[in-house]
């Protein structure tokens, strides 16, 4: 036992299958083993639950709770409640690819700077690759007593290759390590979201291509306003999604700076090369200020803000299509493949996917609010509160990807009911503004024209007819400016033909917009 007591906790290595994360475990980890020590150390170590982690000469002993990699100054291990409350491995294991990638870059830099040997670097790189392989095969045991993804991977590496692995954390803190992992993860997430946004854009443009010539009522205040081409309406969402892409790309560019080497907050006196690790990880450059490097979460706020705006856009699309699928509108019919039924009403066919798109926008927005609230009162620099930034971010990305995917699928599986739309068009005097433009062309000031057309609509309301149904004499009784050519402006079809301004719903304008998007999206 004397040989055991002479070994410090920092030089321990795994020697039992029970403490090996790759080996099947029969150990009840809820019952930690207290190792016997010489009398002079017995009292302290009765409080400090010691495992064979990083120990030599302790083969065959079972273990419960390990001495932490940071446990050198502690005399007692944390309680089970504290350990359960503070662990993050249950969710931050999502970062394992980025953590391993960052560690490989860090090891390569340390070797070039003479802070580890080439042989040690190679052992570390090989060990990290093996750990990644086992994680992806489901053969890696994540341990809550190792707290987080960083400690799980580092401890497993120590188990696997021994002493060289203990050099990996040289000139690195978990503060800059998690920042590096998280920036890499968010960058990867953006690279997944952008193609999904483009996929929905393509679906909408293809739907528009099949909807040529269809006119629908345009609404303001949820009241009928003016006629618009259905293609124009669909392309309005394509434009919104394009701004979403620009926001994501801008977020990617701003987050693409490397915090690795900032350490806890003050940097290091060791001769590291932060530019090398930055380049190896595909970052633009190292972050200039080490305090900012470990405390900044702007990039996450921006990503979740961009996701929230996407969610709002999709929710508005969902709202329209849920309404349009109702019996009151009847503008669209979703296929059975994107509809659900009722458990009690046999006739029901519900556009549930778009209802849930509308509903899930709330959780994406809530994820952003959660993060903003989390960060609003934090002092510099790093605080453990920031552990709570992962789950809302993971949830936001997962949810927005699902919303984009199902919205595109819904767009691919609906048909517009032309006859129902055509039947609905006459109501609402959609051509009233075009009639006012007619009077402006005749030289009448717009405010006067507005009044004349208002009185014309009032006459239609009293007669329960449309503007095009009024006789020329009836129109002249309101204003002598009306001539026979006024009927070239009345009716939704004639009204659409009169739009000509850039970006308008005119036939030629919309044709130009369609051509632009077909070419840009490579359809």
């Amino acid at each position: 036992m004397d040989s055991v007591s002479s070994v410090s906790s920092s030089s321990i290595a795994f020697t039992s299958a029970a403490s090996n994360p790759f080996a099947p475990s029969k150990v009840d980890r809820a019952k930690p083993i207290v190792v016997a020590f010489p009398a002079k150390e017995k009292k302290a170590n009765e409080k400090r639950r010691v495992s064979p982690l990083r120990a030599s000469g302790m083969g065959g002993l079972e273990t419960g709770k390990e001495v932490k990699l940071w446990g050198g100054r502690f005399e007692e291990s944390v309680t089970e409640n504290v350990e359960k409350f503070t662990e993050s491995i249950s969710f931050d294991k999502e970062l394992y690819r980025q953590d391993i990638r960052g560690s490989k870059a860090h090891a390569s830099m340390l070797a070039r700077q003479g802070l580890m040997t080439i042989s040690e670097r190679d052992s570390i790189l090989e060990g990290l690759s093996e750990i990644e392989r086992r994680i992806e095969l489901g053969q890696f045991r994540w341990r809550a007593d190792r707290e987080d993804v960083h400690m799980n991977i580092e401890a497993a590496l120590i188990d696997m290759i021994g002493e060289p692995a203990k050099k990996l954390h040289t000139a690195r803190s978990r503060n800059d390590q998690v920042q590096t992992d998280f920036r890499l993860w968010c960058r990867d997430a953006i690279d997944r979201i952008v193609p999904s946004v483009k996929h929905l854009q393509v679906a909408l443009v293809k739907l528009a291509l099949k909807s040529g010539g269809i006119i629908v009522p345009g609404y303001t205040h949820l009241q009928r306003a003016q006629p618009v081409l259905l293609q124009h309406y669909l392309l309005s969402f394509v434009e919104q999604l394009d701004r979403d892409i620009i926001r994501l790309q801008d977020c990617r560019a701003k987050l693409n700076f490397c915090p690795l080497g900032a350490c806890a907050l003050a940097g290091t006196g060791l001769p590291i090369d932060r530019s090398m690790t930055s380049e190896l990880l595909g970052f633009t450059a190292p972050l200039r200020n080490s305090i900012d490097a470990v405390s900044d979460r702007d990039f996450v706020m921006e990503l979740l803000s961009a996701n929230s705006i996407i969610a709002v856009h999709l929710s508005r699309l969902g709202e329209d299509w849920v309404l349009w699928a109702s019996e009151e509108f009847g503008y669209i019919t979703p296929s059975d493949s994107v509809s659900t039924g009722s458990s009690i009403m046999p006739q029901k066919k519900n556009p549930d996917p778009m209802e849930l798109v509308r509903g899930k926008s709330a959780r994406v927005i809530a994820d952003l609010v959660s993060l903003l609230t989390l960060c609003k009162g934090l002092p510099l620099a790093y605080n453990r509160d920031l552990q709570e930034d992962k789950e809302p971010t993971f949830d936001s990305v997962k949810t927005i990807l699902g919303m984009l995917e199902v919205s595109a699928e819904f767009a691919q599986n609906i048909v517009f009911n032309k006859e129902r739309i055509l039947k609905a068009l006459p109501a609402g005097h959609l051509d009233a503004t075009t009639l006012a433009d007619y009077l402006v062309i005749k030289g009448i000031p717009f405010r006067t024209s507005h009044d004349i057309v208002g009185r014309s609509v009032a006459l239609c309301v009293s007669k329960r007819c449309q503007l095009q149904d009024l006789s020329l004499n009836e129109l002249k009784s309101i204003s002598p400016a009306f001539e026979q050519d006024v009927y070239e402006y009345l009716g939704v079809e004639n009204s659409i033909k009169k739009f000509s301004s850039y970006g308008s719903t005119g036939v030629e304008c919309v044709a130009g917009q369609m051509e632009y998007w077909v070419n840009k999206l490579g359809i």
Side-chain angles (χ1 to χ4, degrees), residues 145-205:
D145 59 334
R146 290 177 175 175
E147 300 179 15
D148 55 36
V149 64
H150 324 296
M151 302 293 267
N152 265 264
I153 290 174
E154 184 179 351
L157 187 65
I158 293 171
D159 303 343
M160 182 183 296
I161 68 171
E163 290 296 314
K166 297 176 187 177
K167 291 189 176 183
L168 179 57
H169 209 55
T170 303
R172 185 177 72 173
S173 163
R174 277 189 292 178
N175 296 357
D176 61 332
Q177 185 177 2
V178 69
Q179 267 279 49
T180 304
D181 294 357
F182 208 19
R183 283 175 183 264
L184 290 171
W185 190 92
C186 289
R187 191 175 73 185
D188 292 343
I190 291 170
D191 291 344
R192 292 163 58 205
I193 297 170
V194 168
S196 293
V197 177
K198 289 182 178 178
H199 179 60
L200 177 55
Q201 285 183 302
V202 169
L204 290 171
V205 172

Side-chain angles (χ1 to χ4, degrees), residues 236-442:
S236 71
F237 287 103
V238 177
E239 295 282 354
Q240 292 172 36
L241 293 168
D242 204 50
R243 291 193 297 274
D244 292 327
I245 290 173
I246 293 170
R247 266 184 289 272
L248 288 167
Q249 290 172 336
D250 181 61
C251 176
R252 191 188 192 283
K254 285 191 282 189
L255 73 77
N256 201 39
F257 290 84
C258 186
L260 195 57
C263 301
L265 80 162
T268 179
L270 294 171
I272 63 171
D273 184 349
R274 291 189 61 206
S275 294
M276 177 183 174
T277 47
S278 174
E279 184 177 351
L280 287 173
L281 293 170
F283 287 113
T284 303
L287 283 161
R288 283 189 299 268
N289 185 296
S290 62
I291 298 174
D292 177 58
V294 298
S295 60
D296 169 51
R297 289 301 184 275
D298 292 0
F299 66 98
V300 193
M301 296 182 214
E302 287 195 29
L303 173 56
L304 269 57
S305 176
N307 283 352
S308 296
I309 296 172
I310 296 172
V312 168
H313 291 157
L314 298 183
S315 181
R316 296 182 74 182
L317 176 65
E319 170 71 2
D320 275 1
W321 284 3
V322 168
L323 287 174
W324 285 16
S326 69
E327 192 63 35
E328 284 68 24
F329 280 82
Y331 291 177
I332 65 172
T333 300
S335 74
D336 290 353
S337 63
V338 291
S339 304
T340 64
S342 165
S343 63
I344 189 172
M345 297 170 284
Q347 84 280 11
K348 292 295 294 297
K349 182 178 178 180
N350 302 323
D352 276 10
M354 297 313 291
E355 292 178 51
L356 279 172
V357 164
R358 186 178 59 191
K360 285 181 181 291
S361 65
R363 69 186 291 164
V364 177
I365 295 168
D367 288 331
L368 171 62
V369 174
S370 175
L371 183 67
L372 291 170
T373 306
L374 172 70
C375 294
K376 73 173 182 64
L378 294 183
L380 290 176
Y382 179 83
N383 298 273
R384 190 66 178 270
D385 311 51
L386 292 172
Q387 176 174 299
E388 294 301 302
D389 62 3
K390 310 299 181 304
E391 288 185 286
T393 304
F394 296 158
D395 180 72
S396 175
V397 170
K398 179 182 177 181
T399 304
I400 206 66
L401 285 168
M403 292 171 67
L404 287 163
E405 181 179 6
V406 80
S407 296
E409 196 163 293
F410 198 86
Q412 293 163 350
N413 288 278
I414 61 173
V415 294
F416 288 97
N417 302 320
K418 297 180 183 179
E419 292 184 5
R420 181 69 176 265
I421 294 170
L422 187 62
K423 186 178 179 181
L425 277 174
H429 312 290
L430 296 171
D431 49 357
T433 305
T434 310
L435 182 59
D437 290 344
Y438 166 83
L439 292 171
V440 169
I441 292 171
K442 293 292 185 178

